[in-house]
Short mmCIF file of all heavy atoms in Angstrom, two decimals:
data_model
loop_
_atom_site.label_atom_id
_atom_site.label_comp_id
_atom_site.label_asym_id
_atom_site.label_seq_id
_atom_site.Cartn_x
_atom_site.Cartn_y
_atom_site.Cartn_z
N MET A 185 0.83 -1.18 0.00
CA MET A 185 0.00 0.00 0.00
C MET A 185 0.88 1.25 0.00
O MET A 185 1.89 1.31 0.68
CB MET A 185 -0.92 -0.02 1.22
CG MET A 185 -1.75 1.21 1.38
SD MET A 185 -3.13 0.88 2.48
CE MET A 185 -4.33 1.89 1.71
N ALA A 186 0.48 2.24 -0.75
CA ALA A 186 1.26 3.47 -0.86
C ALA A 186 1.07 4.34 0.39
O ALA A 186 -0.01 4.39 0.97
CB ALA A 186 0.83 4.25 -2.09
N LYS A 187 2.15 4.99 0.78
CA LYS A 187 2.13 5.88 1.94
C LYS A 187 2.36 7.30 1.47
O LYS A 187 3.21 7.55 0.61
CB LYS A 187 3.22 5.47 2.93
CG LYS A 187 3.28 6.34 4.15
CD LYS A 187 4.35 5.89 5.10
CE LYS A 187 4.39 6.83 6.28
NZ LYS A 187 5.37 6.46 7.26
N LEU A 188 1.61 8.24 2.03
CA LEU A 188 1.77 9.65 1.67
C LEU A 188 2.97 10.23 2.42
O LEU A 188 3.05 10.15 3.64
CB LEU A 188 0.51 10.44 2.02
CG LEU A 188 0.55 11.92 1.67
CD1 LEU A 188 0.58 12.10 0.15
CD2 LEU A 188 -0.66 12.64 2.25
N ILE A 189 3.90 10.78 1.67
CA ILE A 189 5.07 11.46 2.23
C ILE A 189 4.83 12.95 2.03
O ILE A 189 4.48 13.39 0.94
CB ILE A 189 6.36 11.04 1.51
CG1 ILE A 189 6.52 9.52 1.52
CG2 ILE A 189 7.57 11.74 2.12
CD1 ILE A 189 6.62 8.90 2.89
N THR A 190 5.03 13.73 3.09
CA THR A 190 4.76 15.16 3.00
C THR A 190 5.97 15.99 3.42
O THR A 190 6.74 15.59 4.28
CB THR A 190 3.54 15.53 3.88
OG1 THR A 190 3.37 16.94 3.87
CG2 THR A 190 3.70 15.08 5.31
N GLN A 191 6.10 17.13 2.79
CA GLN A 191 7.15 18.10 3.12
C GLN A 191 6.55 19.32 3.82
O GLN A 191 7.16 20.39 3.85
CB GLN A 191 7.86 18.54 1.84
CG GLN A 191 8.56 17.41 1.10
CD GLN A 191 9.72 16.85 1.91
OE1 GLN A 191 10.54 17.59 2.43
NE2 GLN A 191 9.77 15.54 2.03
N VAL A 192 5.36 19.15 4.39
CA VAL A 192 4.66 20.27 5.01
C VAL A 192 5.44 20.81 6.20
O VAL A 192 5.60 22.02 6.36
CB VAL A 192 3.22 19.88 5.40
CG1 VAL A 192 2.56 20.99 6.21
CG2 VAL A 192 2.40 19.56 4.16
N ARG A 193 5.94 19.95 7.06
CA ARG A 193 6.68 20.40 8.25
C ARG A 193 7.88 21.25 7.82
O ARG A 193 8.11 22.34 8.37
CB ARG A 193 7.16 19.22 9.08
CG ARG A 193 8.03 19.66 10.26
CD ARG A 193 8.54 18.50 11.09
NE ARG A 193 7.44 17.96 11.86
CZ ARG A 193 7.14 16.66 11.93
NH1 ARG A 193 7.85 15.77 11.27
NH2 ARG A 193 6.14 16.25 12.66
N GLU A 194 8.62 20.78 6.84
CA GLU A 194 9.80 21.51 6.38
C GLU A 194 9.42 22.88 5.81
O GLU A 194 10.06 23.89 6.11
CB GLU A 194 10.56 20.69 5.35
CG GLU A 194 11.21 19.44 5.91
CD GLU A 194 10.27 18.25 6.10
OE1 GLU A 194 9.06 18.36 5.75
OE2 GLU A 194 10.72 17.20 6.59
N ALA A 195 8.37 22.91 5.00
CA ALA A 195 7.91 24.18 4.41
C ALA A 195 7.43 25.13 5.50
O ALA A 195 7.73 26.33 5.47
CB ALA A 195 6.80 23.93 3.39
N ARG A 196 6.71 24.60 6.47
CA ARG A 196 6.19 25.42 7.56
C ARG A 196 7.33 25.99 8.39
O ARG A 196 7.34 27.18 8.73
CB ARG A 196 5.25 24.58 8.43
CG ARG A 196 4.67 25.33 9.62
CD ARG A 196 3.78 24.45 10.46
NE ARG A 196 4.41 23.26 10.99
CZ ARG A 196 5.30 23.24 12.00
NH1 ARG A 196 5.67 24.37 12.59
NH2 ARG A 196 5.82 22.10 12.42
N GLN A 197 8.31 25.17 8.70
CA GLN A 197 9.44 25.63 9.51
C GLN A 197 10.27 26.67 8.76
O GLN A 197 10.71 27.65 9.35
CB GLN A 197 10.30 24.44 9.95
CG GLN A 197 9.60 23.58 10.98
CD GLN A 197 10.36 22.32 11.33
OE1 GLN A 197 11.21 21.84 10.57
NE2 GLN A 197 10.06 21.75 12.49
N ARG A 198 10.48 26.45 7.45
CA ARG A 198 11.22 27.44 6.64
C ARG A 198 10.50 28.78 6.64
O ARG A 198 11.14 29.83 6.59
CB ARG A 198 11.39 26.94 5.21
CG ARG A 198 12.57 26.04 5.00
CD ARG A 198 12.90 25.84 3.54
NE ARG A 198 11.79 25.28 2.78
CZ ARG A 198 11.54 24.00 2.61
NH1 ARG A 198 12.31 23.10 3.16
NH2 ARG A 198 10.51 23.61 1.89
N ALA A 199 9.17 28.73 6.68
CA ALA A 199 8.38 29.96 6.68
C ALA A 199 8.28 30.58 8.07
O ALA A 199 7.70 31.66 8.23
CB ALA A 199 6.98 29.68 6.14
N GLY A 200 8.83 29.91 9.09
CA GLY A 200 8.78 30.42 10.45
C GLY A 200 7.37 30.42 11.02
O GLY A 200 7.01 31.29 11.81
N MET A 201 6.59 29.44 10.64
CA MET A 201 5.18 29.37 11.00
C MET A 201 4.95 28.22 11.98
O MET A 201 5.57 27.17 11.87
CB MET A 201 4.38 29.13 9.71
CG MET A 201 2.91 29.28 9.83
SD MET A 201 2.09 29.00 8.22
CE MET A 201 2.74 30.36 7.27
N THR A 202 4.06 28.43 12.93
CA THR A 202 3.69 27.36 13.85
C THR A 202 2.59 26.51 13.23
O THR A 202 1.95 26.91 12.25
CB THR A 202 3.17 27.91 15.19
OG1 THR A 202 1.93 28.59 14.95
CG2 THR A 202 4.18 28.85 15.85
N GLN A 203 2.38 25.34 13.82
CA GLN A 203 1.28 24.49 13.36
C GLN A 203 -0.05 25.22 13.52
O GLN A 203 -0.91 25.14 12.64
CB GLN A 203 1.24 23.18 14.15
CG GLN A 203 2.37 22.26 13.84
CD GLN A 203 2.37 21.02 14.69
OE1 GLN A 203 1.76 20.98 15.75
NE2 GLN A 203 3.07 19.98 14.23
N ALA A 204 -0.21 25.95 14.60
CA ALA A 204 -1.45 26.68 14.85
C ALA A 204 -1.68 27.77 13.79
O ALA A 204 -2.81 27.97 13.33
CB ALA A 204 -1.44 27.29 16.25
N GLU A 205 -0.62 28.45 13.41
CA GLU A 205 -0.75 29.49 12.39
C GLU A 205 -1.15 28.90 11.04
O GLU A 205 -2.02 29.44 10.36
CB GLU A 205 0.56 30.28 12.26
CG GLU A 205 0.85 31.15 13.47
CD GLU A 205 2.26 31.70 13.47
OE1 GLU A 205 3.18 31.09 12.88
OE2 GLU A 205 2.45 32.76 14.10
N LEU A 206 -0.52 27.80 10.66
CA LEU A 206 -0.87 27.15 9.40
C LEU A 206 -2.31 26.65 9.46
O LEU A 206 -3.07 26.83 8.51
CB LEU A 206 0.08 25.99 9.10
CG LEU A 206 -0.25 25.17 7.85
CD1 LEU A 206 -0.32 26.06 6.60
CD2 LEU A 206 0.76 24.05 7.67
N ALA A 207 -2.68 26.03 10.57
CA ALA A 207 -4.04 25.52 10.72
C ALA A 207 -5.07 26.64 10.56
O ALA A 207 -6.08 26.46 9.87
CB ALA A 207 -4.20 24.85 12.09
N GLU A 208 -4.80 27.78 11.15
CA GLU A 208 -5.72 28.92 11.05
C GLU A 208 -5.84 29.39 9.60
O GLU A 208 -6.93 29.68 9.12
CB GLU A 208 -5.25 30.07 11.94
CG GLU A 208 -6.22 31.23 11.97
CD GLU A 208 -5.79 32.32 12.94
OE1 GLU A 208 -5.16 31.99 13.96
OE2 GLU A 208 -6.10 33.49 12.65
N LYS A 209 -4.72 29.44 8.90
CA LYS A 209 -4.74 29.90 7.50
C LYS A 209 -5.54 28.99 6.59
O LYS A 209 -6.13 29.46 5.62
CB LYS A 209 -3.31 30.03 6.97
CG LYS A 209 -2.56 31.23 7.52
CD LYS A 209 -1.17 31.30 6.92
CE LYS A 209 -0.38 32.45 7.47
NZ LYS A 209 -0.84 33.74 7.01
N VAL A 210 -5.56 27.68 6.88
CA VAL A 210 -6.26 26.74 5.99
C VAL A 210 -7.58 26.25 6.58
O VAL A 210 -8.26 25.43 5.96
CB VAL A 210 -5.36 25.55 5.60
CG1 VAL A 210 -4.16 26.03 4.80
CG2 VAL A 210 -4.92 24.74 6.81
N GLY A 211 -7.94 26.73 7.77
CA GLY A 211 -9.25 26.43 8.33
C GLY A 211 -9.42 25.05 8.94
O GLY A 211 -10.50 24.46 8.84
N VAL A 212 -8.35 24.55 9.58
CA VAL A 212 -8.45 23.27 10.28
C VAL A 212 -7.89 23.44 11.69
O VAL A 212 -7.36 24.49 12.03
CB VAL A 212 -7.69 22.14 9.54
CG1 VAL A 212 -8.29 21.87 8.17
CG2 VAL A 212 -6.20 22.43 9.44
N ARG A 213 -8.00 22.39 12.49
CA ARG A 213 -7.43 22.44 13.84
C ARG A 213 -5.93 22.15 13.80
O ARG A 213 -5.44 21.50 12.89
CB ARG A 213 -8.12 21.39 14.73
CG ARG A 213 -9.59 21.69 14.92
CD ARG A 213 -10.32 20.66 15.77
NE ARG A 213 -9.43 19.91 16.65
CZ ARG A 213 -9.65 18.66 17.02
NH1 ARG A 213 -10.69 18.00 16.61
NH2 ARG A 213 -8.80 18.05 17.82
N ARG A 214 -5.21 22.62 14.80
CA ARG A 214 -3.77 22.38 14.88
C ARG A 214 -3.46 20.90 14.87
O ARG A 214 -2.48 20.45 14.27
CB ARG A 214 -3.19 23.03 16.15
CG ARG A 214 -1.67 22.89 16.24
CD ARG A 214 -1.14 23.17 17.63
NE ARG A 214 -1.67 22.27 18.64
CZ ARG A 214 -1.22 21.03 18.86
NH1 ARG A 214 -0.23 20.53 18.16
NH2 ARG A 214 -1.76 20.28 19.80
N GLU A 215 -4.31 20.11 15.52
CA GLU A 215 -4.10 18.67 15.58
C GLU A 215 -4.12 18.04 14.18
O GLU A 215 -3.42 17.06 13.94
CB GLU A 215 -5.17 18.00 16.47
CG GLU A 215 -5.01 18.33 17.94
CD GLU A 215 -5.60 19.68 18.35
OE1 GLU A 215 -6.24 20.35 17.52
OE2 GLU A 215 -5.41 20.07 19.51
N THR A 216 -4.90 18.60 13.28
CA THR A 216 -4.94 18.09 11.91
C THR A 216 -3.58 18.26 11.25
O THR A 216 -3.07 17.35 10.59
CB THR A 216 -6.02 18.81 11.09
OG1 THR A 216 -7.29 18.62 11.73
CG2 THR A 216 -6.09 18.30 9.66
N ILE A 217 -2.96 19.43 11.45
CA ILE A 217 -1.63 19.68 10.90
C ILE A 217 -0.62 18.75 11.55
O ILE A 217 0.23 18.16 10.87
CB ILE A 217 -1.22 21.15 11.08
CG1 ILE A 217 -2.23 22.09 10.40
CG2 ILE A 217 0.20 21.38 10.57
CD1 ILE A 217 -2.38 21.89 8.90
N LEU A 218 -0.71 18.57 12.86
CA LEU A 218 0.17 17.65 13.59
C LEU A 218 0.09 16.24 13.00
O LEU A 218 1.11 15.63 12.68
CB LEU A 218 -0.20 17.63 15.07
CG LEU A 218 0.49 16.57 15.93
CD1 LEU A 218 1.96 16.87 16.08
CD2 LEU A 218 -0.19 16.47 17.28
N HIS A 219 -1.12 15.72 12.83
CA HIS A 219 -1.30 14.37 12.29
C HIS A 219 -0.84 14.28 10.84
O HIS A 219 -0.26 13.28 10.44
CB HIS A 219 -2.75 13.94 12.42
CG HIS A 219 -3.20 13.76 13.84
ND1 HIS A 219 -2.47 13.08 14.80
CD2 HIS A 219 -4.30 14.20 14.49
CE1 HIS A 219 -3.11 13.10 15.95
NE2 HIS A 219 -4.22 13.78 15.79
N LEU A 220 -1.07 15.32 10.08
CA LEU A 220 -0.61 15.35 8.69
C LEU A 220 0.92 15.28 8.63
O LEU A 220 1.49 14.48 7.89
CB LEU A 220 -1.11 16.63 8.01
CG LEU A 220 -0.59 16.91 6.61
CD1 LEU A 220 -1.08 15.85 5.63
CD2 LEU A 220 -1.06 18.28 6.15
N GLU A 221 1.58 16.09 9.43
CA GLU A 221 3.04 16.10 9.45
C GLU A 221 3.64 14.78 9.94
O GLU A 221 4.73 14.40 9.53
CB GLU A 221 3.55 17.25 10.33
CG GLU A 221 3.31 18.61 9.73
CD GLU A 221 3.83 19.75 10.56
OE1 GLU A 221 4.29 19.54 11.72
OE2 GLU A 221 3.77 20.90 10.07
N ASN A 222 2.91 14.07 10.80
CA ASN A 222 3.39 12.80 11.35
C ASN A 222 2.97 11.59 10.52
O ASN A 222 3.22 10.46 10.91
CB ASN A 222 2.93 12.64 12.79
CG ASN A 222 3.65 13.59 13.72
OD1 ASN A 222 4.79 13.94 13.50
ND2 ASN A 222 2.97 14.02 14.77
N GLY A 223 2.31 11.84 9.39
CA GLY A 223 1.93 10.75 8.50
C GLY A 223 0.73 9.95 8.96
O GLY A 223 0.51 8.83 8.49
N ARG A 224 -0.05 10.49 9.89
CA ARG A 224 -1.22 9.77 10.39
C ARG A 224 -2.52 10.28 9.79
O ARG A 224 -3.59 9.83 10.18
CB ARG A 224 -1.29 9.87 11.91
CG ARG A 224 -0.15 9.12 12.59
CD ARG A 224 -0.27 9.18 14.07
NE ARG A 224 0.11 10.54 14.49
CZ ARG A 224 -0.07 11.01 15.70
NH1 ARG A 224 -0.62 10.27 16.63
NH2 ARG A 224 0.31 12.23 16.00
N TYR A 225 -2.44 11.22 8.85
CA TYR A 225 -3.63 11.79 8.24
C TYR A 225 -3.34 12.14 6.79
O TYR A 225 -2.33 12.78 6.49
CB TYR A 225 -4.03 13.07 9.01
CG TYR A 225 -5.19 13.82 8.42
CD1 TYR A 225 -6.49 13.35 8.59
CD2 TYR A 225 -5.00 14.97 7.67
CE1 TYR A 225 -7.56 14.04 8.04
CE2 TYR A 225 -6.07 15.66 7.13
CZ TYR A 225 -7.35 15.18 7.32
OH TYR A 225 -8.41 15.86 6.79
N ASN A 226 -4.21 11.68 5.89
CA ASN A 226 -4.10 12.04 4.49
C ASN A 226 -5.11 13.15 4.21
O ASN A 226 -6.31 12.96 4.42
CB ASN A 226 -4.41 10.84 3.59
CG ASN A 226 -3.32 9.80 3.64
OD1 ASN A 226 -2.20 10.07 4.02
ND2 ASN A 226 -3.65 8.59 3.27
N PRO A 227 -4.63 14.29 3.76
CA PRO A 227 -5.54 15.43 3.56
C PRO A 227 -6.43 15.24 2.34
O PRO A 227 -6.09 14.50 1.42
CB PRO A 227 -4.57 16.59 3.34
CG PRO A 227 -3.39 15.95 2.68
CD PRO A 227 -3.27 14.61 3.35
N SER A 228 -7.54 15.95 2.36
CA SER A 228 -8.37 16.01 1.16
C SER A 228 -7.60 16.78 0.10
O SER A 228 -6.62 17.49 0.41
CB SER A 228 -9.69 16.73 1.47
OG SER A 228 -9.43 18.11 1.76
N LEU A 229 -8.03 16.67 -1.13
CA LEU A 229 -7.38 17.42 -2.20
C LEU A 229 -7.47 18.92 -1.94
O LEU A 229 -6.50 19.65 -2.12
CB LEU A 229 -8.01 17.07 -3.55
CG LEU A 229 -7.43 17.79 -4.77
CD1 LEU A 229 -5.93 17.54 -4.88
CD2 LEU A 229 -8.15 17.34 -6.02
N LYS A 230 -8.63 19.38 -1.46
CA LYS A 230 -8.80 20.81 -1.17
C LYS A 230 -7.82 21.27 -0.10
O LYS A 230 -7.17 22.30 -0.25
CB LYS A 230 -10.22 21.12 -0.74
CG LYS A 230 -10.40 22.61 -0.44
CD LYS A 230 -11.78 22.94 0.02
CE LYS A 230 -12.03 24.40 0.29
NZ LYS A 230 -10.92 25.24 0.67
N LEU A 231 -7.69 20.50 0.99
CA LEU A 231 -6.77 20.88 2.06
C LEU A 231 -5.34 20.88 1.54
O LEU A 231 -4.57 21.81 1.82
CB LEU A 231 -6.91 19.96 3.27
CG LEU A 231 -5.95 20.24 4.43
CD1 LEU A 231 -6.04 21.68 4.91
CD2 LEU A 231 -6.21 19.25 5.56
N ALA A 232 -4.95 19.88 0.78
CA ALA A 232 -3.60 19.83 0.22
C ALA A 232 -3.34 21.06 -0.64
O ALA A 232 -2.27 21.69 -0.54
CB ALA A 232 -3.40 18.55 -0.59
N MET A 233 -4.30 21.42 -1.47
CA MET A 233 -4.13 22.59 -2.34
C MET A 233 -4.10 23.89 -1.53
O MET A 233 -3.34 24.80 -1.86
CB MET A 233 -5.22 22.60 -3.40
CG MET A 233 -5.05 21.43 -4.37
SD MET A 233 -6.25 21.41 -5.68
CE MET A 233 -5.53 22.66 -6.75
N ASP A 234 -4.90 23.97 -0.48
CA ASP A 234 -4.89 25.16 0.38
C ASP A 234 -3.53 25.32 1.06
O ASP A 234 -2.99 26.42 1.15
CB ASP A 234 -5.99 25.09 1.44
CG ASP A 234 -7.39 25.29 0.87
OD1 ASP A 234 -7.52 25.72 -0.30
OD2 ASP A 234 -8.36 24.99 1.59
N ILE A 235 -2.97 24.22 1.54
CA ILE A 235 -1.65 24.25 2.18
C ILE A 235 -0.60 24.69 1.16
O ILE A 235 0.25 25.54 1.46
CB ILE A 235 -1.30 22.89 2.80
CG1 ILE A 235 -2.20 22.62 4.01
CG2 ILE A 235 0.18 22.82 3.19
CD1 ILE A 235 -2.12 21.21 4.56
N CYS A 236 -0.67 24.14 -0.02
CA CYS A 236 0.29 24.51 -1.07
C CYS A 236 0.19 25.99 -1.41
O CYS A 236 1.21 26.66 -1.64
CB CYS A 236 0.06 23.66 -2.31
SG CYS A 236 0.54 21.94 -2.06
N ALA A 237 -1.02 26.53 -1.43
CA ALA A 237 -1.22 27.94 -1.74
C ALA A 237 -0.57 28.83 -0.67
O ALA A 237 0.00 29.88 -1.00
CB ALA A 237 -2.70 28.26 -1.86
N VAL A 238 -0.63 28.42 0.59
CA VAL A 238 -0.01 29.19 1.66
C VAL A 238 1.49 29.34 1.42
O VAL A 238 2.06 30.41 1.64
CB VAL A 238 -0.26 28.52 3.04
CG1 VAL A 238 0.61 29.13 4.13
CG2 VAL A 238 -1.73 28.62 3.42
N PHE A 239 2.12 28.28 0.93
CA PHE A 239 3.57 28.29 0.73
C PHE A 239 3.99 28.61 -0.70
O PHE A 239 5.18 28.68 -0.99
CB PHE A 239 4.17 26.96 1.15
CG PHE A 239 3.93 26.64 2.61
CD1 PHE A 239 3.17 25.54 2.97
CD2 PHE A 239 4.43 27.45 3.61
CE1 PHE A 239 2.93 25.25 4.31
CE2 PHE A 239 4.21 27.18 4.93
CZ PHE A 239 3.44 26.08 5.28
N GLY A 240 3.02 28.79 -1.59
CA GLY A 240 3.35 29.09 -2.98
C GLY A 240 4.06 27.93 -3.67
O GLY A 240 4.94 28.14 -4.50
N ARG A 241 3.68 26.72 -3.32
CA ARG A 241 4.29 25.51 -3.87
C ARG A 241 3.24 24.67 -4.58
O ARG A 241 2.06 24.77 -4.30
CB ARG A 241 4.92 24.65 -2.76
CG ARG A 241 5.92 25.36 -1.90
CD ARG A 241 7.28 25.34 -2.58
NE ARG A 241 8.22 26.21 -1.93
CZ ARG A 241 9.05 25.85 -0.98
NH1 ARG A 241 9.05 24.63 -0.52
NH2 ARG A 241 9.90 26.72 -0.48
N SER A 242 3.68 23.79 -5.46
CA SER A 242 2.76 22.87 -6.13
C SER A 242 2.51 21.66 -5.23
O SER A 242 3.29 21.37 -4.31
CB SER A 242 3.35 22.41 -7.46
OG SER A 242 4.46 21.57 -7.23
N VAL A 243 1.44 20.95 -5.51
CA VAL A 243 1.12 19.74 -4.76
C VAL A 243 2.28 18.74 -4.86
O VAL A 243 2.65 18.10 -3.87
CB VAL A 243 -0.20 19.11 -5.27
CG1 VAL A 243 -0.45 17.75 -4.65
CG2 VAL A 243 -1.37 20.04 -4.97
N GLU A 244 2.87 18.64 -6.04
CA GLU A 244 3.98 17.70 -6.24
C GLU A 244 5.20 18.05 -5.39
O GLU A 244 6.00 17.17 -5.07
CB GLU A 244 4.39 17.66 -7.72
CG GLU A 244 3.34 17.09 -8.63
CD GLU A 244 2.29 18.11 -9.06
OE1 GLU A 244 2.40 19.31 -8.73
OE2 GLU A 244 1.32 17.68 -9.70
N MET A 245 5.35 19.31 -5.04
CA MET A 245 6.49 19.72 -4.23
C MET A 245 6.31 19.36 -2.75
O MET A 245 7.29 19.11 -2.05
CB MET A 245 6.75 21.22 -4.37
CG MET A 245 7.22 21.62 -5.75
SD MET A 245 7.40 23.41 -5.92
CE MET A 245 8.94 23.67 -5.04
N LEU A 246 5.07 19.33 -2.28
CA LEU A 246 4.83 19.08 -0.86
C LEU A 246 4.31 17.68 -0.54
O LEU A 246 4.41 17.25 0.61
CB LEU A 246 3.84 20.12 -0.30
CG LEU A 246 4.34 21.56 -0.24
CD1 LEU A 246 3.29 22.46 0.40
CD2 LEU A 246 5.65 21.67 0.51
N PHE A 247 3.76 16.99 -1.53
CA PHE A 247 3.17 15.67 -1.27
C PHE A 247 3.59 14.68 -2.34
O PHE A 247 3.65 15.01 -3.52
CB PHE A 247 1.63 15.76 -1.29
CG PHE A 247 1.05 16.69 -0.27
CD1 PHE A 247 0.76 18.00 -0.58
CD2 PHE A 247 0.81 16.26 1.03
CE1 PHE A 247 0.23 18.87 0.37
CE2 PHE A 247 0.28 17.12 1.98
CZ PHE A 247 -0.01 18.42 1.65
N ARG A 248 3.86 13.42 -1.92
CA ARG A 248 4.12 12.36 -2.88
C ARG A 248 3.77 11.03 -2.21
O ARG A 248 3.75 10.91 -0.99
CB ARG A 248 5.55 12.37 -3.37
CG ARG A 248 6.60 12.01 -2.36
CD ARG A 248 7.99 11.95 -3.00
NE ARG A 248 9.12 11.98 -2.16
CZ ARG A 248 9.40 11.22 -1.11
NH1 ARG A 248 8.56 10.33 -0.73
NH2 ARG A 248 10.49 11.32 -0.43
N PHE A 249 3.48 10.05 -3.04
CA PHE A 249 3.19 8.70 -2.54
C PHE A 249 4.42 7.84 -2.71
O PHE A 249 5.14 7.93 -3.70
CB PHE A 249 2.02 8.08 -3.29
CG PHE A 249 0.68 8.59 -2.83
CD1 PHE A 249 0.00 9.53 -3.56
CD2 PHE A 249 0.14 8.13 -1.64
CE1 PHE A 249 -1.22 10.01 -3.13
CE2 PHE A 249 -1.09 8.60 -1.20
CZ PHE A 249 -1.77 9.54 -1.95
N GLU A 250 4.66 6.98 -1.73
CA GLU A 250 5.78 6.07 -1.75
C GLU A 250 5.27 4.67 -1.48
O GLU A 250 4.46 4.46 -0.57
CB GLU A 250 6.80 6.48 -0.68
CG GLU A 250 8.09 5.74 -0.71
CD GLU A 250 9.07 6.35 0.28
OE1 GLU A 250 9.80 7.25 -0.09
OE2 GLU A 250 9.05 5.86 1.44
N SER A 251 5.74 3.71 -2.24
CA SER A 251 5.31 2.31 -2.05
C SER A 251 5.99 1.68 -0.86
O SER A 251 7.10 1.96 -0.55
CB SER A 251 5.64 1.49 -3.28
OG SER A 251 5.04 2.07 -4.41
#
């Protein structure tokens, strides 16, 4: 089964942003960002695109599947 690998934590840290700040910008709870960064939550396409928009990155730059 494929596993979602995310670069959200790295992008957030480079931007000097907390999990709470990112969560507020995309309209979710901080815990959602925590679980996403820890690989325990796969975001909806809309959430993934909203996160990418915050950082000015493409979906391919922040998310990928690994077998």
